[in-house]
Amino acid sequence: MSDITSLFVTRLYQAALSERGKPVDPTELEASCWSIAEDDEAGQAWCDENGYPGYTSYASLTDLPYRFPIFKDLVRVLDKHVKAFAKDLEFDLGDRKLKLEDIWINILPPGGIHTGHLHPHSVISGTTYVAVPSGAGSIKFEDPRLAMMMAAPARKKDARPEMRTFSYVSPAVGDVLLWESWLRHEVPINMADDERISISFNYSWE
């Protein structure tokens, strides 16, 4: 009898921040993101010089949890989600831990896009969503084997989710998504009339 199994599964974690730890006020979090973006002249300059649409603190600020208490509260909650995801991944961490490496703000304006990329030197990466206006778009994940599929036919449009070459996830405000850092992903064009605000982060093994 034939037997077809799945090998080398790619896991994606999705949950509400409030499922673990103290709830984080999304209104206060959004106000904090805007306040930091308006004051971060170095970040604004980096975005202008590098053609980055909107604003990101990725290249300018490394101390968000120390600037606003709400970011410190957010990290406490993220730690719990990452711990749960690491357990699902069955990592053998030994005497080391997964620790927050960096955390940054993303404000993507209407028409903005964040092209495909991955997060080298980290173990788990993720994003939590602060403002997701209607039409802001999903986050797009790419099959990590794509580069080795040169001669493969396209997948059927109604293929099972786990069989598709690309997967799209539409998050809601307060959601957190986690994935292994080698998974390539992108943010398609923001078709909404307002900014899409998220906070991304990396965890390393230390």
Side-chain angles (χ1 to χ4, degrees):
M1 183 175 180
S2 299
D3 185 24
I4 301 177
T5 60
S6 296
L7 302 176
F8 312 119
V9 175
T10 300
R11 306 290 280 173
L12 176 67
Y13 177 103
Q14 182 172 9
L17 277 174
S18 57
E19 286 185 20
R20 297 181 186 274
K22 181 182 177 181
V24 178
D25 183 350
T27 302
E28 181 182 350
L29 193 56
E30 181 175 356
S32 298
C33 288
W34 279 115
S35 177
I36 291 170
E38 290 168 3
D39 291 340
D40 181 16
E41 295 182 359
Q44 296 168 20
W46 184 91
C47 293
D48 289 340
E49 292 168 5
N50 291 274
Y52 187 92
Y55 166 79
T56 180
S57 64
Y58 178 75
S60 56
L61 300 175
T62 59
D63 59 352
L64 292 181
Y66 301 99
R67 288 176 176 266
F68 284 75
I70 194 167
F71 281 92
K72 184 177 290 186
D73 294 339
L74 175 62
V75 171
R76 289 194 189 101
V77 177
L78 292 177
D79 285 346
K80 295 178 181 179
H81 284 281
V82 169
K83 183 178 180 180
F85 187 39
K87 182 178 180 180
D88 174 83
L89 292 170
E90 300 194 33
F91 281 151
D92 182 1
L93 299 176
D95 58 356
R96 298 156 66 187
K97 296 181 179 180
L98 294 179
K99 185 178 179 182
L100 182 73
E101 182 178 20
D102 44 26
I103 185 169
W104 64 96
I105 297 165
N106 307 292
I107 300 179
L108 194 68
I113 186 173
H114 195 183
T115 55
H117 62 286
L118 46 79
H119 297 206
H121 313 302
S122 302
V123 175
I124 290 176
S125 297
T127 300
T128 186
Y129 295 85
V130 181
V132 188
S134 177
S138 306
I139 183 170
K140 177 181 177 182
F141 294 97
E142 178 184 302
D143 188 327
R145 305 165 300 173
L146 184 60
M148 295 172 279
M149 297 180 184
M150 293 85 73
R155 302 286 183 179
K156 295 179 179 179
K157 291 184 178 179
D158 60 350
R160 300 192 307 275
E162 69 272 17
M163 300 302 294
R164 297 172 188 169
T165 305
F166 298 99
S167 290
Y168 296 81
V169 177
S170 299
V173 171
D175 278 359
V176 57
L177 296 179
L178 303 174
W179 58 87
E180 291 186 74
S181 300
W182 46 258
L183 184 60
R184 189 174 173 86
H185 55 284
E186 65 180 89
V187 180
I189 188 169
N190 180 5
M191 300 295 289
D193 295 328
D194 297 306
E195 287 82 358
R196 178 183 194 268
I197 304 176
S198 62
I199 298 170
S200 298
F201 47 87
N202 291 319
Y203 277 72
S204 58
W205 187 29
E206 299 180 7

